Amino acid sequence: MCAAPDRPSEGSGKVVRVGWYYSPFNYIDNNGRRTGYAYEYQKKIAAYTGWSYEYVTGSWVELMDMLRRGEIDLMSDVSFTEKRAADMIFSSQPMGIEEYFIYIDTGRRDIDPDDFSTLNGKRIGINRGSVQEKCFISWADEHDIHAEIVHLDGTGKEAVKALSDGEIDAIVNVPAFALYNENIYPIAMVGSSQFYFVLSNNRSDLYMELDSAMNQIQSLNRYYTKQLNEKYLSSENAFRFLPVREAEWLDYHGKIRVGYWEHYLPFCDRDENTGELTGFLDECLKRISTSMRNAHVEFEPVPYKTLEAAMEGLHNGEIDCVFPITLDLHTADEQKALVTEPFGTSGVIALIRMKGRGEFNPLGVKRAAVESGNIWMQSVISEDFPTWETVVCDSEEDCIKAVIDGKADCFLVSNYRLNRLMGAVGRNGLVPVSTGKTVNLAFAVRKDNVMLYSILGRMTNTLSDADIYSWLGRYSYVDRKVSLWGYIREHFLLTLSILVAIIAVISIMFIRSVRARERAQILNKELEKAREAAEAANSAKTSFLFNMSHDIRTPMNAIMGFRDLLEKHQDEPEMRAHYLEQIKDASGVLLSIINNVLEMARIEKGTIVLDEMPLEVEKFANNVFSVFQELMDEKEIKYTMHLNNKTKYVYCDATKTNAVFINILSNANKYTGVGGSVHFQLDELPSEKEGWTVFRTTISDTGIGMSEDFLPHIFEEFSREQNTTHNKIEGTGLGMPIVKRLVEFMKGTIEVKSKKGVGTTFIVTFPLRIAQNAADHQPGVVEVNPEQFKGKRILLAEDNEINAEIAKAILGEAGFDIDCAEDGNICVNMLAEAPAHTYDVILMDIQMPNMDGYEAARTIRAMDDVEKANIPILAMTANAFEEDKRNAFDAGMNGHIAKPIDVKLLMSELARVLFR
């Protein structure tokens, strides 16, 4: 029977009768207060709707029947079925997703988690008429399990009692079910489903309010349901059990002997006074020794002089596992070892000579110092820097000396070890530089010890990131006592700088005392101006970083958010297409921001070059103008162009000139409202230089304009009058600085006129050399027939697995057969060894280990086999600038495709080189 309704809770507005059944969704805590997943969610909904609740208590089955009869208004945790949808109203979006597991009592020995056939003939308890039952039946059919289903109608506690009393042998439920009993654990996941709020058919008046409230909650915090799940439904205790065979193996084996590298803090060391283990490993072993509820593990630490010695001890049977270790799959296989899943990471720092200060450049390193027996860092070099030569030294001090003496270019250390080496680093004029690489914290076991491999994996999985990095931080700190003379030796340059500064200050004070007051005032004014300029520059950069952080996170947030929605709506084609389009748009915005930042960096560095070619003026202007025709039409902007030129052909860097006008027109489009106007005017002016002409381009709009105060700063780096938070328009504040730098680079001028609320006019003037004709050096877009690629075979040279997978998927769908090469050397060998006519075209990445794409292309072009030497080669690379394209053609390639891949352009280029 059901209890009478409780009195309404606080609130106002409509009164809603809520089904209350004892579960993690609804329960009374130790203080006598209501709580639970559904209770908290309903309270959040009430904050938006003003609802008041009456709670009606009963079992889930009883309350569902009451909902159908209209005796209550709202139920939670209801999975969707067509039959239920006819009897009740489901919320438009789920209130969460739950997974279903088979649970057994920890004392069972007749059910083996590793052998599902032991479930045959067993009684499996499942809530009557639930989605869990449907999932279990499907799972049982898939695994050929024939078990008896026992329907349960009571509460979770009653179900646990039935399991404990032997009325059933196992039960199917959610992870939170383990909260009712500490002596049960999951042996298999049978499925999952979304669950919803449901309303009585009599209360359709609540639907719109419920839908609106849930949408607002999710829009403000899209992780809200995930947080509720972790708070109320997750039970990590349920997974803190060892399977029977692993527990029995532990009982038989006894202590686990852990080999470690002594004198390697913060990771591990032997205490000088007690001889006991200390450091991160000590904290880790103490924590995981009691992490399993059905086993207490004893560890016996065994110190070794080096990691290499510890690995030898592992193979000799002296120990059971080694820490810390990281091995790539190939090396681990050679060592006949298994490496557990990593439970922490450490950054890799390169110690280099002072003159090498700056960004870490692996190409500039030929020799790396490595401490003898440190297979941890040796693995990093073999995996990430295979071209380096290792210089083996007896100790870390010898490694530092090797770098100082020029016998090695760098010395690799863990970032957590760096603080312990800073004394020697400072004394010897070395500087630490990040390599951008990391190493994993993991255990290694013998390849045949699969039981220990599984046990260590389960135990380390219980460690929290907070504890792991807290322990590493604690043991990384070194309290070094340094004398004055020691400090001066370690920081000689800094000390010298301070002394020079003191002497300079004294000298300045003396000079100022004898100079006239007017000179001192002038100096003060100059210093003040310098300070103000520095502060203004710093403020602009700070503002830029703040705005760029927002602008980058905005499309990233869209990509991640729509990706999550895409996963939830796989079966809804219209929604899926919409989300994919949104992801595509956000990716384009993000790529544009990144390109602007990189372009500015190239200009600052002075690496851009002028690439002038003859072009037809009218055709070029029409091409630039047409780029924005569709966008202008969408906003109903009056978009016009007028050309007033006599010279038909000129020499010009089309790419950079195009970038200037595209940038200005893009701003005109973005900042001009619906119904406005944008005009593109080209005028030819006389030139004093024979054989030259002057073109003046005027682009004017009726957009929002700029204030007089901001106008002088428009071409300054990082400056924007409003950030995207205010005007909703993406940008980094680098577009106009890039335009100005490009214009000046091409010996032109640019000026701007603008008035707030009226509009903006840009005037760009270029002196250009007159040409007699125009050569079309840019291949046109080739029409692609989807059937024409079938049977064609591509040799894809790509070292990045993800990029290779994407390329194979795109090309495979187009009908190509694909073979992959992991670097340029393998690519050359595969082509050389293949029979004639095997490959039709090569797609070549540029930055690859062993042999890069340029060298591979040059090697292929030099082959004796004329047919193979002339195979079409397309560069497909993230090296996307004009000089990169030129380098590709200089190496003998037939085309260049920039990453991220534009599929239409890729297919067009393939059609061009295959069917020309």
Side-chain angles (χ1 to χ4, degrees):
M1 292 296 292
C2 298
D6 290 353
R7 64 179 178 82
S9 65
E10 67 281 355
S12 62
K14 297 177 181 178
V15 176
V16 180
R17 298 167 296 175
V18 179
W20 180 278
Y21 55 95
Y22 189 82
S23 72
F25 288 88
N26 311 280
Y27 64 95
I28 307 297
D29 66 15
N30 295 331
N31 297 316
R33 298 175 299 188
R34 292 186 187 276
T35 188
Y37 188 117
Y39 176 80
E40 184 171 329
Y41 207 149
Q42 289 158 2
K43 281 294 185 183
K44 180 72 75 172
I45 290 170
Y48 290 95
T49 60
W51 291 351
S52 298
Y53 296 122
E54 289 181 354
Y55 297 103
V56 182
T57 306
S59 71
W60 190 87
V61 174
E62 290 172 333
L63 292 168
M64 286 291 285
D65 288 338
M66 292 181 69
L67 185 79
R68 292 184 179 96
R69 295 193 298 268
E71 296 171 9
I72 61 173
D73 306 315
L74 180 66
M75 271 288 286
S76 60
D77 186 28
V78 181
S79 297
F80 180 87
T81 65
E82 294 294 341
K83 183 178 179 182
R84 289 175 182 168
D87 298 335
M88 56 197 70
I89 303 170
F90 279 79
S91 57
S92 64
Q93 59 179 294
M95 60 180 292
I97 187 168
E98 57 189 4
E99 298 171 333
Y100 308 127
F101 292 84
I102 301 175
Y103 289 88
I104 64 172
D105 191 277
T106 56
R108 299 291 299 229
R109 290 294 183 269
D110 57 331
I111 298 178
D112 187 349
D114 298 320
D115 183 3
F116 292 150
S117 66
T118 55
L119 290 170
N120 283 321
K122 297 298 189 290
R123 298 160 300 171
I124 311 297
I126 307 178
N127 289 334
R128 184 187 303 275
S130 65
V131 174
Q132 300 166 11
E133 181 177 3
K134 180 180 177 181
C135 290
F136 174 75
I137 291 173
S138 175
W139 180 86
D141 288 344
E142 182 181 343
H143 293 82
D144 197 25
I145 305 300
H146 304 283
E148 176 188 351
I149 293 178
V150 178
H151 289 118
L152 304 175
D153 297 320
T155 65
K157 287 185 176 180
E158 292 170 344
V160 169
K161 187 175 186 303
L163 185 64
S164 301
D165 293 345
E167 298 174 14
I168 53 178
D169 302 303
I171 192 167
V172 176
N173 217 307
V174 296
F177 179 71
L179 296 170
Y180 299 123
N181 191 324
E182 293 187 352
N183 295 316
I184 62 173
Y185 72 99
I187 62 169
M189 178 180 168
V190 299
S192 63
S193 73
Q194 294 177 328
F195 54 93
Y196 298 79
F197 285 115
V198 291
L199 295 166
S200 166
N201 280 335
N202 298 335
R203 293 306 305 268
S204 59
D205 61 303
L206 301 176
Y207 176 76
M208 293 301 295
E209 295 178 53
L210 174 63
D211 183 54
S212 175
M214 293 180 72
N215 279 326
Q216 290 185 71
I217 292 167
Q218 288 298 321
S219 65
L220 292 175
N221 180 6
R222 62 192 182 93
Y223 300 109
Y224 181 69
T225 56
K226 180 180 179 182
Q227 292 163 355
L228 288 180
N229 188 291
E230 292 175 351
K231 183 176 181 180
Y232 293 107
L233 301 187
S234 297
S235 175
E236 65 173 12
N237 287 335
F239 299 93
R240 288 177 176 264
F241 279 90
L242 292 179
V244 174
R245 286 193 294 180
E246 292 180 9
E248 290 176 345
W249 182 89
L250 265 181
D251 290 340
Y252 173 79
H253 183 276
K255 290 183 178 180
I256 304 298
R257 299 162 298 172
V258 183
Y260 68 92
W261 186 4
E262 65 178 356
H263 307 312
Y264 203 63
L265 286 175
F267 305 104
C268 40
D269 194 10
R270 181 165 52 174
D271 189 279
E272 295 180 357
N273 299 321
T274 65
E276 300 293 326
L277 172 66
T278 186
F280 169 84
L281 179 60
D282 182 45
E283 302 285 355
C284 175
L285 296 181
K286 288 176 181 176
R287 180 64 58 84
I288 66 176
S289 66
T290 57
S291 61
M292 297 292 106
R293 290 165 56 194
N294 62 336
H296 179 82
V297 184
E298 289 189 60
F299 292 100
E300 180 184 340
V302 181
Y304 286 88
K305 297 294 184 183
T306 66
L307 273 180
E308 190 174 44
M311 289 298 292
E312 290 178 5
L314 178 68
H315 295 307
N316 295 337
E318 300 170 5
I319 51 176
D320 303 301
C321 59
V322 174
F323 178 88
I325 205 73
T326 183
L327 297 173
D328 59 81
L329 294 176
H330 177 74
T331 306
D333 196 50
E334 286 184 340
Q335 295 269 349
K336 296 182 179 179
L338 296 174
V339 179
T340 63
E341 289 297 318
F343 47 91
T345 60
S346 167
V348 178
I349 300 295
L351 296 179
I352 61 177
R353 289 183 291 278
M354 184 72 75
K355 66 179 182 181
R357 181 187 292 272
E359 288 189 6
F360 179 72
N361 180 13
L363 299 178
V365 174
K366 298 184 182 299
R367 299 158 302 169
V370 179
E371 188 177 1
S372 176
N374 187 351
I375 58 176
W376 209 23
M377 288 302 165
Q378 289 174 355
S379 177
V380 172
I381 294 174
S382 64
E383 178 75 5
D384 297 316
F385 308 108
T387 61
W388 290 5
E389 174 190 344
T390 56
V391 179
V392 180
C393 304
D394 293 334
S395 64
E396 288 179 324
E397 289 75 14
D398 290 339
C399 289
I400 291 174
K401 190 174 186 302
V403 176
I404 297 166
D405 295 342
K407 297 178 181 178
D409 302 307
C410 72
F411 168 36
L412 297 186
V413 297
S414 160
N415 64 316
Y416 291 108
R417 289 279 299 160
L418 184 60
N419 198 37
R420 297 180 173 273
L421 301 174
M422 283 309 293
V425 170
R427 282 195 306 272
N428 294 290
L430 300 184
V431 291
V433 180
S434 173
T435 66
K437 305 296 181 181
T438 60
V439 288
N440 294 324
L441 299 178
F443 289 96
V445 302
R446 286 186 298 277
K447 196 170 185 178
D448 59 353
N449 200 348
V450 293
M451 283 292 186
L452 181 57
Y453 174 79
S454 177
I455 291 169
L456 288 173
R458 294 179 194 276
M459 291 192 296
T460 54
N461 192 45
T462 64
L463 295 173
S464 70
D465 288 345
D467 284 337
I468 289 170
Y469 295 107
S470 172
W471 296 335
L472 287 171
R474 183 193 313 168
Y475 289 99
S476 296
Y477 176 74
V478 180
D479 184 14
R480 296 188 297 127
K481 295 181 180 179
V482 182
S483 64
L484 176 61
W485 177 241
Y487 180 87
I488 293 174
R489 281 191 305 165
E490 289 186 18
H491 304 87
F492 177 75
L493 292 177
L494 176 62
T495 306
L496 181 60
S497 299
I498 293 172
L499 290 174
V500 170
I502 292 172
I503 294 171
V505 170
I506 294 173
S507 300
I508 291 172
M509 291 177 65
F510 175 76
I511 293 170
R512 288 177 61 188
S513 68
V514 298
R515 287 184 176 179
R517 178 173 299 180
E518 291 78 9
R519 179 58 183 244
Q521 290 175 347
I522 293 173
L523 181 60
N524 285 337
K525 288 180 180 180
E526 291 176 350
L527 291 173
E528 181 66 19
K529 288 180 180 178
R531 183 187 65 79
E532 290 175 355
E535 288 180 353
N538 186 58
S539 176
K541 289 185 179 181
T542 301
S543 176
F544 161 73
L545 291 173
F546 175 82
N547 292 331
M548 190 173 69
S549 172
H550 171 271
D551 291 341
I552 289 177
R553 287 175 181 273
T554 296
M556 279 300 299
N557 180 64
I559 292 168
M560 296 174 69
F562 284 115
R563 180 206 62 191
D564 293 344
L565 290 171
L566 186 63
E567 291 177 351
K568 294 180 181 179
H569 297 274
Q570 289 293 327
D571 299 328
E572 302 176 51
E574 291 184 3
M575 296 294 287
R576 187 169 65 246
H578 171 68
Y579 295 148
L580 286 171
E581 185 64 27
Q582 293 295 326
I583 290 172
K584 180 180 178 181
D585 290 346
S587 300
V589 172
L590 182 60
L591 181 60
S592 174
I593 293 171
I594 292 171
N595 284 340
N596 265 354
V597 175
L598 292 177
E599 182 68 16
M600 197 65 205
R602 290 172 65 247
I603 293 173
E604 292 280 5
K605 197 174 181 181
T607 58
I608 60 172
V609 294
L610 198 61
D611 185 18
E612 291 185 329
M613 291 183 180
L615 57 79
E616 183 179 349
V617 175
E618 185 174 348
K619 182 178 179 181
F620 176 79
N622 284 328
N623 288 341
V624 172
F625 182 81
S626 64
V627 170
F628 290 92
Q629 185 68 65
E630 185 176 347
L631 293 173
M632 299 292 186
D633 291 345
E634 289 177 0
K635 295 177 68 175
E636 299 179 3
I637 293 173
K638 183 181 179 182
Y639 188 36
T640 56
M641 179 177 70
H642 179 71
L643 304 181
N644 181 26
N645 65 295
K646 294 181 179 179
T647 301
K648 192 173 182 180
Y649 304 106
V650 295
Y651 286 95
C652 178
D653 189 324
T655 301
K656 295 179 179 61
T657 308
N658 188 69
V660 169
F661 295 137
I662 290 294
N663 217 317
I664 297 173
L665 284 170
S666 175
N667 281 349
N669 173 257
K670 285 191 291 185
Y671 293 105
T672 300
V674 175
S677 65
V678 175
H679 183 64
F680 184 101
Q681 172 87 20
L682 177 66
D683 296 299
E684 184 173 2
L685 306 178
S687 173
E688 296 178 356
K689 195 173 181 181
E690 186 176 353
W692 288 68
T693 186
V694 176
F695 276 41
R696 181 181 66 198
T697 304
T698 305
I699 300 174
S700 57
D701 64 61
T702 59
I704 61 175
M706 291 171 279
S707 67
E708 292 183 4
D709 292 338
F710 176 72
L711 210 53
H713 305 285
I714 186 173
F715 296 119
E716 294 177 3
E717 297 173 18
F718 320 126
S719 294
R720 289 185 296 175
E721 186 167 18
Q722 291 182 315
N723 61 25
T724 59
T725 305
H726 294 142
N727 57 31
K728 309 299 182 187
I729 299 173
E730 290 86 358
T732 60
L734 289 175
M736 286 299 103
I738 289 174
V739 165
K740 184 172 177 60
R741 297 292 182 87
L742 290 176
V743 169
E744 292 175 346
F745 180 72
M746 293 185 285
K747 310 302 181 184
T749 62
I750 183 170
E751 58 180 303
V752 59
K753 302 174 183 178
S754 185
K755 188 173 182 180
K756 198 81 168 179
V758 176
T760 301
T761 297
F762 282 91
I763 303 171
V764 180
T765 304
F766 284 123
L768 299 171
R769 188 157 51 98
I770 298 172
Q772 300 305 314
N773 52 46
D776 186 4
H777 293 272
Q778 297 298 325
V781 177
V782 179
E783 292 295 329
V784 176
N785 179 358
E787 298 296 322
Q788 64 186 341
F789 294 135
K790 289 186 178 179
K792 298 294 183 181
R793 183 172 292 277
I794 289 178
L795 178 54
L796 172 65
E798 173 61 72
D799 65 318
N800 184 283
E801 292 182 6
I802 295 177
N803 289 342
E805 183 178 350
I806 293 171
K808 287 167 64 179
I810 293 171
L811 296 168
E813 289 182 358
F816 286 102
D817 297 321
I818 307 104
D819 290 338
C820 290
E822 289 77 17
D823 60 44
N825 191 42
I826 295 175
C827 174
V828 171
N829 291 336
M830 288 177 66
L831 178 65
E833 296 170 4
H837 310 296
T838 298
Y839 297 112
D840 299 290
V841 64
I842 296 175
L843 291 180
M844 185 77 74
D845 188 20
I846 298 302
Q847 291 191 1
M848 295 183 291
N850 301 324
M851 181 186 288
D852 65 29
Y854 298 136
E855 184 62 29
R858 283 189 284 266
T859 303
I860 291 170
R861 294 301 184 226
M863 285 183 173
D864 295 332
D865 187 321
V866 176
E867 180 181 330
K868 291 180 180 179
N870 291 318
I871 187 171
I873 305 174
L874 294 178
M876 192 166 72
T877 172
N879 295 1
F881 296 115
E882 284 301 313
E883 50 266 39
D884 300 315
K885 296 179 184 179
R886 188 180 300 105
N887 291 338
F889 287 114
D890 290 346
M893 300 192 199
N894 303 89
H896 180 282
I897 301 162
K899 297 175 184 175
I901 299 170
D902 183 325
V903 178
K904 290 183 180 179
L905 178 60
L906 172 60
M907 296 305 159
S908 174
E909 282 291 276
L910 287 169
R912 180 179 65 82
V913 299
L914 287 171
F915 308 113
R916 57 190 174 184

